[in-house]
Amino acid sequence: MDTFLWVIVPYTCLAVFVVGHYWRWTYDKFGWTTRSSQLYENRLLRWGSPLFHFGLLGVVGGHVVGLVIPKSWTEAVGVHEGLYHFLAVTLGGLAGLATLAGLVILVYRRRTVGPVFMATTRMDKLMYVFLAGVIVLGMWNTVASSIFGHYDYREGVSPYWRSIFLFRPDASLIADAPVGFQLHALVAFVLFALWPFTRLVHVFSAPVGYLTRPYIVYRSRDEAREGTRAPARGWEKAGRSR
């Protein structure tokens, strides 16, 4: 059973994640979009979107530090266990609350604003359920491990996570973890499998190129008329400016 849950299921979900994105980009390029709905409603979006996206950046950053970077590395640079746990609870808790609050606002908006609801696919609705489950379980694990007994996931879950991507999966590392951490991992794997078929694909289309592209200069009609000659009409041949 451990092999099925912690080896077969993760690799199946990650394979769907990779192949699904390739299929989506190959056969559904026009559907590779967030289906922006700002035109229909802006008041709730103005609050929900920043809370969700900036909170999620903090959550992802915390998971990168907690899962990808080994415990010995952070201790080597002076971040001892007590400080790391304090930062994980405070900053991670704030990021989780912001993400959850933003998600609640966005889901409420999608459910109550007619045109926005009509633009929401069934896969997106299913994705919201698993995304909310991942966030809630992650916050619960943070609180529960602090109140009901400390579990150092950096000695169990984190090595297991790295073993998956090193293609040396060790199911025993997570088999003894608390149920909350196991459910958090399983729901996250399912979310990865759903990812390519939902609006989450827009994560890989972030407008990073905007940071390096040249500026676009806009000129008004009045500015154009300040030249040495009047602008040519559509049917006139443009002459050389003097």
Side-chain angles (χ1 to χ4, degrees), residues 49-211:
S49 184
L51 279 172
F52 176 76
H53 287 94
F54 286 111
L56 194 59
L57 285 176
V59 171
V60 172
H63 278 71
V64 170
V65 175
L67 298 179
V68 178
I69 301 177
K71 183 178 179 180
S72 58
W73 291 17
T74 54
E75 290 181 343
V77 297
V79 182
H80 55 79
E81 180 63 19
L83 177 59
Y84 175 85
H85 184 67
F86 172 77
L87 293 175
V89 172
T90 55
L91 298 182
L94 289 174
L97 285 174
T99 306
L100 186 61
L103 181 62
V104 169
I105 294 174
L106 293 177
V107 171
Y108 172 80
R109 173 178 176 271
R110 289 203 165 271
R111 189 63 188 87
T112 56
V113 180
V116 181
F117 181 74
M118 294 298 293
T120 307
T121 66
R122 293 182 179 179
M123 291 299 294
D124 285 333
K125 295 174 185 177
L126 184 62
M127 175 272 294
Y128 283 130
V129 173
F130 281 90
L131 181 59
V134 169
I135 297 171
V136 171
L137 284 170
M139 295 179 62
W140 166 253
N141 290 333
T142 301
V143 174
S145 62
S146 302
I147 298 178
F148 302 109
H150 178 64
Y151 169 72
D152 192 355
Y153 64 89
R154 302 185 78 195
E155 295 182 352
V157 178
S158 298
Y160 161 75
W161 181 263
R162 293 193 294 271
S163 74
I164 288 290
F165 291 94
L166 293 174
F167 298 100
R168 296 196 300 267
D170 187 354
S172 63
L173 291 172
I174 195 173
D176 297 329
V179 176
F181 285 91
Q182 293 180 343
L183 287 175
H184 182 61
L186 286 175
V187 174
F189 283 130
V190 176
L191 181 62
F192 277 119
L194 294 174
W195 193 308
F197 313 104
T198 67
R199 67 180 55 246
L200 290 179
V201 294
H202 79 278
V203 171
F204 301 108
S205 299
V208 179
Y210 285 4
L211 300 176

Side-chain angles (χ1 to χ4, degrees), residues 214-238:
Y215 292 107
I216 300 176
V217 179
Y218 293 94
R219 300 181 62 189
S220 66
R221 290 178 179 269
D222 293 335
E223 290 174 334
R225 289 169 181 167
E226 290 177 0
T228 57
R229 58 178 297 164
R233 303 298 179 185
W235 58 85
E236 294 178 350
K237 193 174 188 179

Side-chain angles (χ1 to χ4, degrees), residues 24-43:
R24 181 84 181 268
W25 179 254
T26 303
Y27 297 101
D28 189 29
K29 286 184 180 180
F30 289 105
W32 191 285
T33 172
T34 60
R35 301 182 185 89
S36 177
S37 56
Q38 184 177 3
L39 183 66
Y40 302 127
E41 196 280 335
N42 191 41
R43 183 176 59 86

